[in-house]
Amino acid sequence: MVLDDPTTRPAPRSRARTDAPWQHDVEQDDLEHIGKPIRKVDARSKVSGLTRFADDLTLPRMLHMKLLRSTVAHAEIVHIDTRQAAALPGVKGVLTGKDLPIPFGILPVSQDEHALCPDRVRFVGDPVVAIAATEEETAWNACRLVEVEYRELRTIGGIHEAAANDEPRLHDYGVRGNIHRLENLEFGDLADGFAKADHVRQDTFFFEGNTHLPMEQHATLAHFDKDGKLTVWSSTQTPHYLHKALARTLHPLPAHHIRVIACPNGGGFGGKSDPFNHEIAAAKMSMLTGRPVKIALTREEVFWCHRGRHPVLMRAKVGVSKTGRITALDFHSYLDGGAYGSYGTASTFYTGALQTVTYAVDNYHFRGARFFTNKAPCGPKRGHGTPQPRFALEVQLDKIACDLGLDPARIRLDNLAPRDSLTANFLRIGSMGLGTCIEKVVAGSGWNTRRGKLGRQKNGRYRGLGLACSSYLSGAGLPIYWNGMPHSGVQLKLDRSGLVTAFCGSTDIGQGSDSVLGWIIGEVLGIDPLGIKVVTADTDLTPVDLGSYSSRVTVMTGNAAMQAAERARDIVADGVAAKLGVPAGRLVFAAERVFDSEDPAKGMTWQEAVCAAEAKSGTIGTVGSYSPPPSAAKFRGGGVGPSPSYSYSAAVVEVEVDAETGIYTVPKVWMAHDIGRALNAAVAMGQIEGSVYMGLGEAMMEEMAYRDRTHKGNRIFVHKIPSLLEYKSPTTLEMPEVVTYVVEDPDRNGPFGAKEVGQGPLLPMMPAVANAIFDAVGVRVDEVPVSFEKVFAALQAKQAGKEPRFGPANDATGVPAVDFGESLKIKTPWQGGDGTAWNEPKREKKAAK
Amino acid sequence: MLRLPTFTYHRPKTAAEAVRLASEHGKEAMYVAGGTDLYPNMKRRHQVPTQVISLQDVPGLHDVEVHGSGGVRIGAMVRLTKLEHHAHLKQHYPGFAHAVREISTPLLRNMGPIGGNLLLDTRCTYYDQSHEWRESIDFCMKKDGAICWVAPGSPRCWAVQSSDTVPVLCAMEAEVELVGADGTRRIKCDELYRDDGIVYLTKRPEELLTKVFLPPPGAWKASYLKLRRRDTYDFPILGVGACLWLDGDGVVTKANVRLGGAGSYAIPATETEKLLVGNQLTDERIAAAGSAAMKPARTMDNTDLDVYWRRKVAPVYVARALAACR
Ligand SMILES: Cc1cc2nc3c(=O)[nH]c(=O)nc-3n(C[C@H](O)[C@H](O)[C@H](O)COP(=O)(O)OP(=O)(O)OC[C@H]3O[C@@H](n4cnc5c(N)ncnc54)[C@H](O)[C@@H]3O)c2cc1C
Ligand code: SF4
């Protein structure tokens, strides 16, 4: 929005100095662009189909690559014969594991993947051979001519199996057997906490895995040119990490000869955050053939890439006072990691880390175990590791409210984690708007008058309401690989035409991060955001940003952009001040003008101002960067959980259940999301509605189910339904009416007070649906997805006079027996703790594998 | 991307030419109407004709004709969207029109004609998978393999009848016209299908389905009720087609009930039919008739959702379909 009359502008705005970018002191109501529903900078090309995704790219003489993937779940590769394939007319290149011997992986602690499996396959879908040909069909046909001889190994099919079978190990690293990670952290005094409790509950839950299902299937185009430079265009959320993985696996190709360009992503949701085997193989294939090489994955292959939600078994014991105040929490999680490490170490910690950020938990014991199994590897999906425990705890809290005869909304309001506080596990909470969120959805849904009273409808179905809450990070406080450099960098170039170009490594995956850059820079410089040129996600041109994951971009890139823009403003102000003869401090930047606050008529256009500045200071370029504030958690494992700020969400879901069949629908959802400040409420609401949609899919139907059969002594273990038709996800018809509340509780660490948007509101959907089913028909489904047959089974149990519940056995048999060893004991802040564990053994520096 | 294999595309200008091409190429040939079933199958390599014969230009297959009696003749190439919105069908054949509307999505109904829908391949979650996936289970007897994964001891294939219009058309006693090399024949819809997941049609491969005949409206009422996970897109995992003839007192004089999605053809629910004939459609009678429905059904673990659940809720669905005929 542009103000018509610049002379009505009020006095100059005071913005924070750039040395402490997380301490803005902005007058919130005095903003020109921030908070306004401006369209996204790339909106028109997106909706008119002009955006060029990776699969839209072609280059002259381009080859098409296909991967031959493992057809067995677990085996040693005895022999590969590619001679017939190589001889097929049209085939130009064949690669096997021998050609790419260097392992890689997103985390330095789990470099356990190969672009092509050299000697071992670990799930149906693991890539073994890459073939490039002049036609895609030829490459596919050639793959059918490859002979691979496998020696099958015993399959490890899930959490219980992995815990019970140490052999064969999927990997020769990890804790022991097929346990990848074990964490055991104890904060405060559990015995004391439970002793103070009037009521203790122990419940067991299971959250089945599910996948991201982005509309765009991953695609990569690689070109190794005659000058020895490699360019890789790819649908990736993390060009910087892909760049690192390419530099590692293509050794000795120098890192600075590699350029990664992240194309606009047609949806990512975490599924394009790992460096992938097909990306590395395409690059190598281009180096081998000297021709550009493209690979466009099939939908089935996207299921093999996976990195989605971990299946997690959970056992939670919670103690509460008579009034429902939590006194202690003992939480176990068991994660099915699939075949590789991926982000799994972080995922494991995330199943424990944020428990204390939503509600105050003074005494907290977390034990987490991640297992390797012969499934497509799990990793980060929207909410990364936190939706599973959120489901468990929000359903459990609902049960407690029921046990004690309390209102589920009240019990949550009474347990809120305090704002501006340190949690038991040393996470620093800043702004905290969960109370407001709860109040909004309670009022909107008519909770107080309708809950428990909807009952049987005219159509014979039963309605009910369920409530649940969540918190989520605004970016991880620590980078994925240890380094002291900034997490995000922005460069600005100011041109004589008045053009401002912003260069940044961040990747727009549809969430609007390119637009965020435009809005923030436009606001600081007083120019139209849609006139700013945004160049992102190109490792040759743009400074590093760690990537579009963990909801980090608005806060981190935003702060870096703000710093770069403020520095540019200072340079321009110098030039204008000299030309106009007014002190720089009196200048206002607004409405594409720079003018004197005391005499608004005295000023010049933005373009003139840039020219004046260039005349005075020379070519104008500035940089900005951002590193999150240091973490208070110093114990081992404390690196996962800290964030500059936390978003909050609360949801009320209404369901309608057909008690004869268990079939239910979700007619309406009320969702409130505290995002600190909406940089653009329209875009923020889009993110929130997207979360509702995605959460609804997880709640109702989505699952990575496996076929588990035995045939002639061999076990067949393969994803049941890797297709867009049969992997069930909601359609527009299942999408409920959504009432969205954007709650703004500004946080000092965010640009203009902004926090995370759009991961948090996914979390409450699953428990709110389960709680609503209980309100409607009085049965508990302690398992996600809450599918029709489970509701039906619970209803049948109820009819038969049994416990009206469907879920894993709620006793010691429900979870595997795992020796977690001795816990790390950490005194809470109120016990005088300093963030270290008092019994922590001296840390040895482990060499990365 | 999943690519189509290479094939030759024919566009015959007459029915006779189409049949001649099909006879000539034998096993290598398949007709294509809307292609919404055939092309995905070709991409997954479980139907691999090298000669694809399009029916697009064959005259006489593209119209809906209403006869003086009120009966209707539908050309095999009439798109589902046209049937869905056809005023006469909506008024006099609401059960059939509803079944058409329940097919997949508006996009699919724009592409797919009724002929293709009647001849739709049977489905199975072990079969409707890519070549690579099927390779990982060592294929199955419907294509490229020896075993049936759904019933490993079984000598036959149990792939599921999955068209939404078939159960109700069979119940209504609709008829179809087939044109083959040796001439034209008209048979009852029921007679078009066989209880086998592989050879699921009695139609010879070169025979062309040209027309569907709906009986004139009368003292009967038909309904269709579909069970599936999502209200769009999904194939039926149970499709109840019911047609009841009622006398002046509301007594059922004849009943046809067919179960789609419950076996390799639209299975007659004979017990249910028996329980209905001679009786009025009271709530109790309907519930009893519903409960008896699943005896002949062959519900197996080869569609979406849990097989146990599908068996349990089927009676409820059958009862609801019957109640809709009141
Ligand atoms: C995602 C998806 C969802 C679907 N959901 C449903 C659903 O819910 N319910 C449902 O009923 N169907 C569904 N379908 C199947 C399909 O879209 C419809 O059944 C459609 O009507 C098929 O017609 P078609 O002409 O497009 O088929 P085609 O692929 O052209 O033909 C199907 C078969 O019939 C043969 N054939 C076609 N016409 C003739 C003829 N005149 N004479 C002889 N042989 C012929 C072909 O050789 C082929 O074997 C779905 C399909 C997809 C892809
Ligand atoms: S029913 Fe058996 S033979 Fe038929 S498609 Fe399915 S698995 Fe194959």
Side-chain angles (χ1 to χ4, degrees):
Chain A
M1 234 168 62
V2 178
L3 283 172
D4 303 332
D5 182 5
T7 57
T8 59
R9 295 294 297 177
R13 287 165 281 168
S14 61
R15 287 216 173 87
R17 298 306 304 176
T18 48
D19 49 359
W22 52 84
Q23 280 167 11
H24 306 295
D25 180 21
V26 202
E27 294 166 46
Q28 301 275 339
D29 46 349
D30 180 27
L31 300 173
E32 199 177 348
H33 306 296
I34 295 299
K36 307 290 186 311
I38 314 167
R39 71 164 193 267
K40 287 189 191 176
V41 296
D42 53 355
R44 289 191 173 164
S45 31
K46 280 261 169 72
V47 298
S48 55
L50 294 175
T51 303
R52 278 157 64 82
F53 296 96
D55 192 17
D56 294 322
L57 306 177
T58 50
L59 287 174
R61 301 182 69 242
M62 186 174 87
L63 299 174
H64 297 269
M65 191 175 84
K66 280 279 180 195
L67 296 173
L68 176 72
R69 295 172 180 274
S70 169
T71 51
V72 291
H74 199 187
E76 278 169 10
I77 299 173
V78 180
H79 181 66
I80 305 175
D81 185 347
T82 60
R83 283 171 302 181
Q84 262 192 299
L88 190 72
V91 169
K92 299 292 175 192
V94 179
L95 293 173
T96 64
K98 281 198 211 84
D99 302 300
L100 283 160
I102 304 171
F104 68 97
I106 182 70
L107 300 186
V109 292
S110 31
Q111 302 285 305
D112 58 1
E113 299 183 52
H114 282 88
L116 299 166
C117 299
D119 47 17
R120 183 90 171 263
V121 290
R122 295 181 175 85
F123 69 102
V124 172
D126 232 358
V128 179
V129 178
I131 298 182
T134 47
E135 305 289 336
E136 197 172 7
E137 197 195 343
T138 310
W140 190 86
N141 288 335
C143 284
R144 311 277 81 72
L145 299 176
V146 175
E147 278 169 33
V148 186
E149 190 188 325
Y150 294 111
R151 197 170 65 77
E152 293 206 31
L153 299 168
R154 181 194 185 128
T155 301
I156 305 291
I159 295 166
H160 285 284
E161 268 181 61
N165 295 290
D166 285 350
E167 295 293 337
R169 292 188 81 184
L170 264 78
H171 293 281
D172 58 7
Y173 79 104
V175 179
R176 61 176 178 262
N178 285 305
I179 301 178
H180 174 207
R181 300 287 307 194
L182 275 185
E183 314 303 341
N184 190 349
L185 301 168
E186 201 175 341
F187 307 92
D189 187 338
L190 266 284
D192 185 53
F194 280 114
K196 287 201 180 106
D198 300 309
H199 179 57
V200 175
R201 256 204 92 98
Q202 189 153 15
D203 292 283
T204 315
F205 299 92
F206 179 59
F207 197 121
E208 179 56 287
N210 55 54
T211 200
H212 318 81
L213 214 69
M215 280 303 106
E216 181 207 19
Q217 293 161 196
H218 307 48
T220 298
L221 170 60
H223 186 202
F224 185 70
D225 65 26
K226 295 287 174 251
D227 299 319
K229 305 274 169 48
L230 174 70
T231 306
V232 174
W233 293 263
S234 195
S235 25
T236 175
Q237 299 177 234
T238 52
H240 174 60
Y241 295 142
L242 174 57
H243 185 262
K244 280 180 70 74
L246 287 168
R248 179 184 163 96
T249 51
L250 300 177
H251 180 79
L253 184 67
H256 60 281
H257 284 201
I258 302 171
R259 177 183 189 184
V260 175
I261 300 173
C263 297
N265 283 205
F269 314 109
K272 295 169 183 166
S273 316
D274 285 61
F276 283 104
N277 44 54
H278 66 268
E279 296 173 315
I280 295 167
K284 184 74 183 180
M285 187 66 88
S286 183
M287 294 173 75
L288 175 76
T289 58
R291 291 172 67 163
V293 173
K294 179 151 99 180
I295 179 162
L297 299 192
T298 63
R299 176 57 59 181
E300 183 170 308
E301 288 179 294
V302 175
F303 279 94
W304 303 150
C305 289
H306 190 39
R307 322 288 157 151
R309 192 82 72 226
H310 284 73
V312 184
L313 257 173
M314 292 162 285
R315 191 147 164 81
K317 182 175 158 196
V318 66
V320 293
S321 71
K322 268 199 240 13
T323 56
R325 290 291 293 269
I326 299 168
T327 59
L329 172 64
D330 188 0
F331 192 84
H332 290 75
S333 63
Y334 306 83
L335 295 80
D336 181 342
Y340 293 100
S342 182
Y343 285 80
T345 299
S347 319
T348 310
F349 281 114
Y350 276 130
T351 63
L354 299 195
Q355 260 73 309
T356 53
V357 177
T358 314
Y359 309 120
V361 180
D362 289 355
N363 305 291
Y364 176 41
H365 193 172
F366 165 63
R367 274 162 281 199
R370 183 180 193 265
F371 301 92
F372 286 126
T373 62
N374 294 117
K375 297 181 179 177
C378 300
K381 178 184 170 188
R382 206 170 187 172
H384 192 187
T386 67
Q388 298 96 329
R390 207 65 254 152
F391 170 74
L393 294 169
E394 292 293 324
V395 171
Q396 194 172 40
L397 209 53
D398 213 64
K399 294 183 183 185
I400 288 171
C402 193
D403 295 345
L404 300 180
L406 298 170
D407 170 10
R410 186 73 253 158
I411 197 173
R412 288 173 166 88
L413 286 167
D414 287 346
N415 275 300
L416 294 183
R419 64 168 54 242
D420 296 319
S421 67
L422 262 188
T423 65
N425 55 341
F426 289 85
L427 302 182
R428 197 182 302 282
I429 299 176
S431 85
M432 205 286 188
L434 182 54
T436 315
C437 290
I438 295 174
E439 283 157 13
K440 292 272 183 204
V441 294
V442 161
S445 63
W447 174 263
N448 291 330
T449 53
R450 297 175 72 232
R451 178 183 67 92
K453 302 193 183 74
L454 292 172
R456 197 182 156 92
Q457 306 291 298
K458 278 203 200 81
N459 62 8
R461 296 177 161 223
Y462 295 81
R463 287 210 173 198
L465 293 178
L467 186 143
C469 302
S470 76
S471 58
Y472 198 69
L473 336 159
S474 309
L478 289 177
I480 273 168
Y481 63 100
W482 173 245
N483 72 84
M485 293 175 279
H487 290 216
S488 192
V490 171
Q491 289 178 346
L492 291 188
K493 169 178 134 341
L494 275 57
D495 183 86
R496 291 175 195 184
S497 67
L499 174 69
V500 176
T501 312
F503 299 89
C504 179
S506 62
T507 306
D508 201 317
I509 56 172
Q511 88 279 41
S513 62
D514 282 4
S515 306
V516 165
L517 282 169
W519 301 328
I520 289 176
I521 295 162
E523 185 65 45
V524 174
L525 299 179
I527 58 176
D528 179 6
L530 295 172
I532 294 170
K533 178 120 191 162
V534 183
V535 179
T536 52
D538 179 333
T539 59
D540 262 15
L541 301 182
T542 60
V544 166
D545 172 83
L546 294 181
S548 282
Y549 63 94
S550 93
S551 276
R552 50 177 299 288
V553 185
T554 294
V555 168
M556 303 208 189
T557 302
N559 276 323
M562 193 132 176
Q563 189 181 52
E566 284 168 345
R567 287 173 175 169
R569 194 186 55 198
D570 290 349
I571 294 171
V572 173
D574 265 1
V576 175
K579 192 140 186 189
L580 295 181
V582 293
R586 255 178 36 201
L587 293 173
V588 174
F589 288 66
E592 307 262 340
R593 284 182 84 242
V594 182
F595 56 92
D596 182 357
S597 62
E598 295 189 355
D599 179 6
K602 193 168 172 183
M604 59 181 80
T605 66
W606 166 254
Q607 188 195 348
E608 289 163 351
V610 172
C611 292
E614 190 176 333
K616 178 155 189 285
S617 317
T619 303
I620 309 173
T622 62
V623 294
S625 54
Y626 179 78
S627 297
S631 162
K634 298 186 175 62
F635 53 91
R636 192 172 55 78
V640 179
S643 175
S645 60
Y646 298 91
S647 82
Y648 290 91
S649 310
V652 169
V653 165
E654 184 163 340
V655 297
E656 185 173 288
V657 187
D658 175 353
E660 278 186 286
T661 62
I663 294 175
Y664 66 93
T665 56
V666 176
K668 198 160 175 177
V669 172
W670 295 261
M671 180 67 77
H673 191 18
D674 162 29
I675 60 172
R677 182 175 176 97
L679 297 185
N680 182 328
V683 174
M685 286 167 84
Q687 285 293 307
I688 298 169
E689 287 166 9
S691 282
V692 169
Y693 167 78
M694 196 168 235
L696 186 79
E698 298 195 23
M700 294 185 72
M701 56 186 93
E702 294 192 26
E703 54 183 325
M704 289 284 280
Y706 278 73
R707 280 286 185 205
D708 190 357
R709 306 292 302 261
T710 306
H711 180 44
K712 293 184 188 153
N714 283 335
R715 183 157 172 203
I716 289 160
F717 193 68
V718 57
H719 190 293
K720 193 173 170 188
I721 36 172
S723 83
L724 208 49
L725 176 63
E726 293 297 338
Y727 174 89
K728 303 298 179 186
S729 182
T731 71
T732 43
L733 290 187
E734 280 73 42
M735 186 65 189
E737 180 186 348
V738 185
V739 183
T740 305
Y741 305 92
V742 176
V743 172
E744 297 183 291
D745 192 339
D747 193 277
R748 63 179 180 281
N749 286 344
F752 301 100
K755 304 194 285 191
E756 181 267 334
V757 187
Q759 294 208 69
L762 181 147
L763 278 59
M765 283 302 295
M766 294 73 82
V769 166
N771 292 343
I773 300 265
F774 176 75
D775 190 46
V777 289
V779 301
R780 292 283 178 193
V781 176
D782 289 345
E783 217 182 274
V784 169
V786 184
S787 51
F788 302 155
E789 57 251 76
K790 294 177 191 168
V791 176
F792 182 76
L795 282 164
Q796 288 219 310
K798 187 182 175 191
Q799 244 176 13
K802 297 190 195 133
E803 190 192 8
R805 169 181 183 267
F806 184 95
N810 189 21
D811 55 31
T813 64
V815 295
V818 173
D819 179 3
F820 284 90
E822 199 203 341
S823 60
L824 276 189
K825 295 189 169 55
I826 299 120
K827 280 188 176 157
T828 57
W830 44 93
Q831 287 179 313
D834 62 358
T836 60
W838 55 264
N839 62 340
E840 184 159 0
K842 242 182 116 66
R843 273 197 238 187
E844 303 158 38
K845 257 214 135 64
K846 261 203 244 158
K849 270 205 129 125
Chain B
M1 196 190 286
L2 219 51
R3 291 268 180 210
L4 280 171
T6 308
F7 60 89
T8 306
Y9 186 69
H10 303 271
R11 280 178 71 163
K13 299 288 179 271
T14 63
E17 192 191 343
V19 172
R20 185 184 56 76
L21 278 166
S23 312
E24 209 172 284
H25 292 289
K27 278 200 160 65
E28 291 294 300
M30 277 184 84
Y31 294 120
V32 68
T36 61
D37 184 43
L38 180 65
Y39 291 140
N41 291 353
M42 287 173 72
K43 286 187 170 185
R44 294 186 292 249
R45 303 295 193 276
H46 48 66
Q47 288 184 329
V48 281
T50 59
Q51 312 294 321
V52 173
I53 304 164
S54 165
L55 303 178
Q56 197 173 317
D57 296 343
V58 175
L61 307 184
H62 294 80
D63 302 308
V64 181
E65 285 171 60
V66 181
H67 285 246
S69 65
V72 181
R73 195 169 79 183
I74 304 170
M77 286 299 283
V78 176
R79 310 273 170 190
L80 298 168
T81 302
K82 187 165 167 185
L83 298 178
E84 176 188 351
H85 297 294
H86 197 280
H88 184 79
L89 293 174
K90 281 205 302 204
Q91 193 185 342
H92 297 286
Y93 301 89
F96 171 65
H98 173 72
V100 171
R101 206 159 41 246
E102 290 287 273
I103 296 170
S104 195
T105 63
L107 288 85
L108 264 297
R109 295 197 293 278
N110 285 341
M111 277 308 289
I114 183 74
N117 186 251
L118 287 180
L119 301 175
L120 187 65
D121 196 3
T122 51
R123 297 183 64 84
C124 169
T125 41
Y126 286 94
Y127 167 73
D128 292 296
Q129 300 271 9
S130 74
H131 182 277
E132 289 89 327
W133 191 96
R134 288 182 294 119
E135 195 179 355
S136 72
I137 61 158
D138 201 17
F139 301 100
C140 79
M141 69 167 76
K142 188 159 159 71
K143 175 70 181 156
D144 299 331
I147 184 187
C148 171
W149 284 100
V150 178
S154 154
R156 60 163 284 190
C157 162
W158 296 94
V160 175
Q161 184 290 121
S162 299
S163 156
D164 279 305
T165 62
V166 168
V168 66
L169 285 176
C170 287
M172 281 162 59
E173 302 185 352
E175 297 179 0
V176 293
E177 182 184 85
L178 301 172
V179 175
D182 319 325
T184 302
R185 59 187 181 123
R186 186 166 157 171
I187 57 171
K188 282 199 171 170
C189 229
D190 260 340
E191 293 161 9
L192 182 56
Y193 303 100
R194 298 180 69 233
D195 185 10
D196 186 279
I198 299 171
V199 190
Y200 59 98
L201 296 173
T202 57
K203 180 184 96 57
R204 288 192 304 276
E206 90 289 354
E207 271 183 314
L208 187 63
L209 192 158
T210 47
K211 288 170 190 110
V212 182
F213 301 90
L214 306 187
W220 54 269
K221 224 169 153 185
S223 69
Y224 180 69
L225 193 65
K226 177 174 185 176
L227 174 63
R228 54 176 161 180
R229 196 181 310 233
R230 301 171 295 183
D231 281 338
T232 177
Y233 220 155
D234 288 341
F235 282 94
I237 54 178
L238 175 72
V240 187
C243 188
L244 306 183
W245 283 257
L246 301 161
D247 69 11
D249 303 325
V251 173
V252 178
T253 56
K254 180 176 163 185
N256 285 337
V257 179
R258 299 287 179 276
L259 305 172
S264 296
Y265 71 119
I267 299 173
T270 36
E271 284 290 309
T272 299
E273 292 168 355
K274 271 190 215 143
L275 282 169
L276 291 169
V277 174
N279 290 292
Q280 282 180 328
L281 292 171
T282 60
D283 287 352
E284 296 70 37
R285 185 50 57 174
I286 283 177
S291 298
M294 287 306 279
K295 276 184 203 149
R298 293 297 165 83
T299 313
M300 304 234 178
D301 184 20
N302 58 352
T303 69
D304 184 30
L305 285 162
D306 177 59
V307 58
Y308 169 80
W309 178 80
R310 278 161 49 217
R311 285 188 157 278
K312 285 282 187 186
V313 303
V316 179
Y317 265 68
V318 173
R320 288 177 186 177
L322 295 174
C325 290
R326 279 201 278 213

